[in-house]
Amino acid sequence: MPSSTTTSLYEFTSTVPFPLTAVLVQLAPYFALVKNAFEILTWSRSTSYDAWLALASWWAVCLLSKATLRYFLPIAVVISLTVITASANARSSAPPVTETNLQATIADLTTIQSLLPDAKFLPKSRPAFSTLLRVSAIMYPPYLLLTYYVPLRILIAVTGTVGITWNSPCASVLRNTLLKSAWVRWCTLYVWSKVTGRPFPLRNLSYQTLATLNSVEPGLSLRFLFTIYENQRWWMGLDFSPALLPGERPSWCSVSLQPVSPPNAFVLPEPTSVYLRDSNGKRVKRTATWKWEEPEWRVLVRKEDGVVSRVEKPVPAPKEENSSLLMKAAGKMKDVNSLQSLANGEGDRPSSEKDEDESEDEDIPTDVDGWVYGDNKWEARSSKGGMGKYTRYRRWTRVAVVNEVVEIVEDGETGVEGGRTTVTMVNASPISSPSRQTEANSEAESPLRQRLKSALSKGVS
């Protein structure tokens, strides 16, 4: 019986876009292979036979590569082509995807992310060129001397052995034992300071308490820039208004012209939790929590010289338009012969042209309020309005941060914790279930736009 803390197949397919689902399904075998390779190289499995076999294979490749390529290369090519053909046939007749397959793929991706090397020990900035030149000059003579007496393939095999056995239990114990020695640490820092020419670093060493070691560990932290487009059209007697033609983009949309909530109603995803197994077999809970890094939304302003800035401005509140002005605008719409072509102009454009327009948005200058003006078909864009400029848009941006917390919990089933799955954002656009999406579209459609639609239908008929 499935656990109540796992997401069902219907919820997954309803909330995740189909292109992403297709990629997950098609690349699932490769994710499994990469996960197995990472587990072998990091010695994360319960048994170490695979890691020792990988080490032996590495030495065989380094020592016997010349003879292998000379005598067995044609055989290896035939075997590779046979395996590729068999894999293609297996994928063509693959069984239907189940909920277990999707959860296994997500678990593989999470395992790969958790097994990646930690980058916090890497230097924050690149060393100076003079330092790199000094280190290269000092290390070059010993390198030439070493390669003169020791074959290069042996050096490559030894280097690979260090990398493969870096996370092995014996290497970890030896490394931790050496790092606990103050004399070893002092000698390492002293030699490094002499090689690089930098002053000897003086650091105050402190011990971690047991309370710190047993606390909840912080996980990955990522920053996302959400962008919402505000679109308006010019109407005689109404000036620029969020009332748009039925066949064109919504008043508020994402970069891909998908309808989204306005900034004052835009909400971040709710916290999600995933239950997985760590390298020791313990059940861990990884909780991702969203929060805004910036207090308010900001408009993207680009000057003529290419300088881009994000200016904080008050978010426009939804308001009702005057009904008499609306009827005047609807009456003038009846007399325009090309009204229907304008209504369908945005929908008839090829997708390639839309992609080019999205890429050009980043280079188009704006006015002081962030507006970009265009013609009836949202083309011929510039930073100045006037004659022939009947449409305009601007971009509202805001930075959000998602923080992950990892904690060890009681033993149980693994999977994604259930919850409200109607708010999942991709490209700054909420993706909800079908019922919620219909309700959101009806709520986002203002009374002004509904009246324009009815006036348009009467004028066409």
Side-chain angles (χ1 to χ4, degrees):
M1 181 177 180
S3 174
S4 58
T5 60
T6 58
T7 302
S8 65
L9 181 62
Y10 173 77
E11 292 176 335
F12 187 91
T13 55
S14 300
T15 56
V16 178
F18 176 74
L20 181 57
T21 304
V23 170
L24 290 176
V25 172
Q26 294 173 359
L27 298 182
Y30 304 101
F31 291 151
L33 291 177
V34 174
K35 185 206 72 169
N36 293 332
F38 269 79
E39 288 180 344
I40 292 173
L41 295 178
T42 57
W43 300 68
S44 302
R45 295 187 172 181
S46 57
T47 59
S48 58
Y49 298 111
D50 296 336
W52 288 113
L53 288 176
L55 182 60
S57 302
W58 172 253
W59 275 91
V61 169
C62 294
L63 298 180
L64 306 175
S65 59
K66 183 177 180 179
T68 301
L69 293 176
R70 183 176 181 180
Y71 296 105
F72 297 100
L73 181 60
I75 300 176
V77 172
V78 173
I79 295 176
S80 301
L81 293 177
T82 304
V83 172
I84 293 174
T85 305
S87 301
N89 295 333
R91 285 196 299 268
S92 61
S93 59
V97 180
T98 62
E99 180 179 328
T100 304
N101 300 137
L102 289 175
Q103 291 184 356
T105 303
I106 297 175
D108 292 343
L109 289 174
T110 308
T111 303
I112 293 172
Q113 187 271 332
S114 62
L115 294 178
L116 289 175
D118 195 353
K120 64 182 180 180
F121 298 104
L122 298 177
K124 302 300 180 181
S125 59
R126 186 179 62 180
F129 179 76
S130 58
T131 302
L132 295 177
L133 188 61
R134 176 189 175 96
V135 173
S136 301
I138 294 176
M139 299 298 296
Y140 191 64
Y143 168 78
L144 292 179
L145 185 63
L146 185 62
T147 54
Y148 180 79
Y149 291 101
V150 181
L152 186 61
R153 63 177 183 273
I154 301 296
L155 295 178
I156 296 176
V158 172
T159 304
T161 302
V162 174
I164 294 175
T165 61
W166 182 261
N167 293 312
S168 63
C170 55
S172 299
V173 172
L174 178 61
R175 186 170 59 253
N176 293 332
T177 302
L178 293 177
L179 290 178
K180 289 180 180 179
S181 173
W183 186 84
V184 172
R185 295 196 302 269
W186 183 87
C187 290
T188 304
L189 293 176
Y190 180 79
V191 172
W192 179 249
S193 64
K194 293 298 182 181
V195 171
T196 59
R198 295 183 176 181
F200 187 79
L202 298 177
R203 297 182 180 179
N204 296 325
L205 302 179
S206 61
Y207 294 95
Q208 293 181 329
T209 60
L210 293 177
T212 304
L213 295 176
N214 295 331
S215 61
V216 178
E217 297 181 2
L220 186 64
S221 178
L222 297 176
R223 300 170 69 246
F224 291 86
L225 178 65
F226 290 93
T227 303
I228 300 179
Y229 279 63
E230 180 186 4
N231 305 302
Q232 292 184 356
R233 175 174 284 278
W234 183 85
W235 298 98
M236 184 176 295
L238 295 179
D239 201 10
F240 280 99
S241 170
L244 304 176
L245 296 176
E248 57 187 354
R249 60 183 68 182
S251 300
W252 298 94
C253 67
S254 64
V255 179
S256 57
L257 304 184
Q258 299 298 321
V260 298
S261 302
N264 53 6
F266 191 88
V267 294
L268 291 174
E270 289 190 347
T272 57
S273 299
V274 180
Y275 294 88
L276 300 169
R277 300 286 180 183
D278 61 1
S279 58
N280 299 324
K282 297 182 180 180
R283 185 170 177 255
V284 296
K285 178 182 179 182
R286 308 175 71 98
T287 305
T289 306
W290 289 81
K291 67 176 182 179
W292 291 113
E293 185 180 79
E294 298 175 342
E296 297 294 339
W297 289 84
R298 299 180 180 181
V299 174
L300 191 66
V301 178
R302 185 183 184 91
K303 298 181 180 180
E304 296 289 345
D305 55 1
V307 179
V308 180
S309 60
R310 298 171 59 236
V311 182
E312 186 173 324
K313 292 183 177 294
V315 178
K319 59 182 179 179
E320 293 290 339
E321 300 289 348
N322 189 288
S323 59
S324 61
L325 294 178
L326 173 65
M327 296 308 298
K328 291 181 180 179
K332 292 185 177 294
M333 289 169 58
K334 300 178 183 180
D335 301 332
V336 180
N337 297 328
S338 61
L339 181 61
Q340 190 63 29
S341 61
L342 290 178
N344 298 329
E346 185 71 20
D348 295 339
R349 294 172 60 193
S351 58
S352 59
E353 294 183 7
K354 293 182 181 180
D355 296 338
E356 293 176 359
D357 292 343
E358 293 171 8
S359 61
E360 292 176 357
D361 286 345
E362 303 297 331
D363 302 328
I364 300 176
T366 67
D367 63 2
V368 293
D369 293 326
W371 291 107
V372 176
Y373 298 87
D375 57 12
N376 278 328
K377 296 184 178 181
W378 303 86
E379 298 174 351
R381 301 167 185 173
S382 65
S383 60
K384 298 180 181 179
M387 294 295 295
K389 302 296 182 181
Y390 301 102
T391 57
R392 68 177 184 179
Y393 69 87
R394 60 179 174 179
R395 289 156 286 183
W396 293 86
T397 60
R398 193 175 182 182
V399 177
V401 180
V402 55
N403 297 313
E404 187 184 42
V405 176
V406 182
E407 56 182 333
I408 300 177
V409 295
E410 298 179 356
D411 196 12
E413 296 186 5
T414 59
V416 182
E417 184 177 12
R420 189 166 68 90
T421 58
T422 56
V423 181
T424 304
M425 300 183 183
V426 177
N427 291 334
S429 62
I431 302 172
S432 58
S433 60
S435 59
R436 287 292 186 93
Q437 186 69 33
T438 305
E439 295 175 4
N441 291 340
S442 61
E443 292 175 2
E445 195 171 17
S446 62
L448 173 61
R449 190 170 182 179
Q450 294 176 1
R451 296 172 189 170
L452 283 174
K453 278 187 178 182
S454 60
L456 176 62
S457 60
K458 293 179 181 178
V460 174
S461 60

